[in-house]
Amino acid sequence: MGNSLKAILAFVPSNKCQKYLLEDLEEMPVDKMVDLSGRQMRRLPVHICSFRELVKLYLSDNNLNHLPPELEQLQNLQILALDFNNFKALPLVVCTLKQLCILYLGNNKLCSLPLELRLLQNLKTLWIESNCLQHLPEVVCELSLLKTLHAGSNALRCLPAQLQCLQELRTIWLSGNLLSEFPPVLLDMPFLEVIDVDRNSIRFFPSLAHLPGLKLVIYDHNPCRNTPKVAKGVRRVGRWSEETPEPRKRSGAVIEITLDEKPLLPPVAKTEPE
């Protein structure tokens, strides 16, 4: 079925047309996963919410801006993908899914996150990249089991001090924001393993040598005057990263980084909960 036909049928609310979009998905798959990505849907068919044993639900790349209250029935859901949609606010029904481990919210139009997000105490991975966030919502700092936070491509200028409460956090991606200084709170998070502040406006980097858990720091594409000092064995990706401890030349030359050298973000394929 062509995308153009799907787009036309997405405007038609009749059950027959919606059933056609779902390609006769009437029973829960044996693998407890439903993937409705790229269907041009404007609403989630309510009968999907009757699959109460569902573990994974992928709704990426649609035209959704709300979800039915019946979604609350999916209390076994561990992975929910809502990225690449039209959400201006996170539907509160998502915050009732207390078994969620991974939540994809990237590439929407979110300016904030509800306080009810704190109810998702099993969340380990949160993707909120490519939204309209000017501040990292403090409610994120209440997700005590969070291990990976993707908050790149927003308009963040700083990070809240409460972030250091996330002692399970290991990876933080902040590429493509408006940071003018290295976030001080990250200096008090010795358990971090990966810090990505690529494509910001940071002019000076403090020493990161005291962070015993650090394995990789990506700081490329910043107007920095120095390279961050790190402990032995820590990989740096960015300006003068191959020189220790400071660049010998101040000419502004940038070491060439090949595409396969710089770690990519996790692939489009969704990751599994640990």
Side-chain angles (χ1 to χ4, degrees):
M1 178 167 51
N3 286 334
S4 58
L5 179 56
K6 287 181 180 179
I8 294 172
L9 291 178
F11 281 97
V12 182
S14 72
N15 290 333
K16 184 177 291 187
C17 289
Q18 294 300 311
K19 184 177 180 180
Y20 185 48
L21 280 172
L22 294 177
E23 299 175 358
D24 294 323
L25 179 62
E26 295 182 354
E27 297 182 1
M28 187 180 72
V30 176
D31 60 4
K32 299 181 180 181
M33 178 185 77
V34 169
D35 188 350
L36 298 177
S37 301
R39 304 295 182 94
Q40 304 295 321
M41 293 188 306
R42 292 182 175 272
R43 64 186 180 91
L44 176 65
V46 174
H47 87 270
I48 295 297
C49 302
S50 67
F51 300 165
R52 299 197 177 200
E53 298 302 314
L54 201 65
V55 174
K56 308 170 189 175
L57 178 58
Y58 300 107
L59 302 174
S60 307
D61 193 18
N62 281 292
N63 293 306
L64 300 172
N65 57 28
H66 68 281
L67 294 172
E70 290 84 357
L71 191 73
E72 185 177 5
Q73 300 175 33
L74 303 182
Q75 286 300 312
N76 290 299
L77 206 62
Q78 295 181 28
I79 301 177
L80 177 60
L82 299 175
D83 45 326
F84 293 93
N85 277 284
N86 293 316
F87 291 103
K88 293 183 179 180
L90 179 65
L92 292 182
V93 66
V94 172
C95 301
T96 68
L97 306 175
K98 297 182 180 180
Q99 296 305 313
L100 279 183
C101 296
I102 301 177
L103 179 58
Y104 297 93
L105 299 175
N107 290 272
N108 279 284
K109 301 174 183 177
L110 302 174
C111 294
S112 63
L113 293 174
L115 293 177
E116 288 81 357
L117 190 73
R118 62 166 63 107
L119 299 175
L120 302 183
Q121 285 299 309
N122 284 306
L123 208 60
K124 294 182 178 179
T125 299
L126 177 62
W127 292 60
I128 51 176
E129 79 285 1
S130 298
N131 276 286
C132 305
L133 299 170
Q134 296 185 17
H135 308 279
L136 183 68
E138 292 186 5
V139 66
V140 172
C141 304
E142 299 185 44
L143 303 174
S144 60
L145 295 184
L146 199 65
K147 296 185 68 174
T148 302
L149 175 61
H150 291 263
S153 299
N154 280 285
L156 304 180
R157 295 181 180 274
C158 61
L159 297 180
Q162 296 92 321
L163 193 70
Q164 65 181 303
C165 296
L166 297 182
Q167 298 193 14
E168 295 299 319
L169 194 66
R170 297 294 180 267
T171 303
I172 185 165
W173 305 85
L174 299 166
S175 176
N177 277 287
L178 301 176
L179 300 173
S180 59
E181 66 172 346
F182 187 83
V185 65
L186 300 185
L187 300 175
D188 296 322
M189 300 177 71
F191 34 80
L192 284 175
E193 297 178 357
V194 177
I195 298 174
D196 179 10
V197 289
D198 186 18
R199 300 185 186 279
N200 278 277
S201 300
I202 301 173
R203 294 186 174 276
F204 177 79
F205 280 92
S207 173
L208 306 179
H210 67 289
L211 300 179
L214 194 62
K215 297 178 180 178
L216 170 66
V217 55
I218 306 173
Y219 64 96
D220 210 8
H221 304 99
N222 280 280
C224 53
R225 302 190 304 269
N226 69 320
T227 182
K229 295 180 180 180
V230 294
K232 184 177 180 180
V234 178
R235 186 175 176 213
R236 296 175 295 187
V237 177
R239 208 174 195 187
W240 310 308
S241 60
E242 293 181 359
E243 299 192 39
T244 305
E246 293 292 339
R248 295 173 184 170
K249 297 180 180 180
R250 298 284 182 174
S251 63
V254 179
I255 294 174
E256 294 294 328
I257 303 294
T258 61
L259 289 177
D260 58 347
E261 280 183 301
K262 180 175 178 179
L264 299 175
L265 287 177
V268 173
K270 307 307 183 185
T271 55
E272 302 293 329
E274 297 185 357

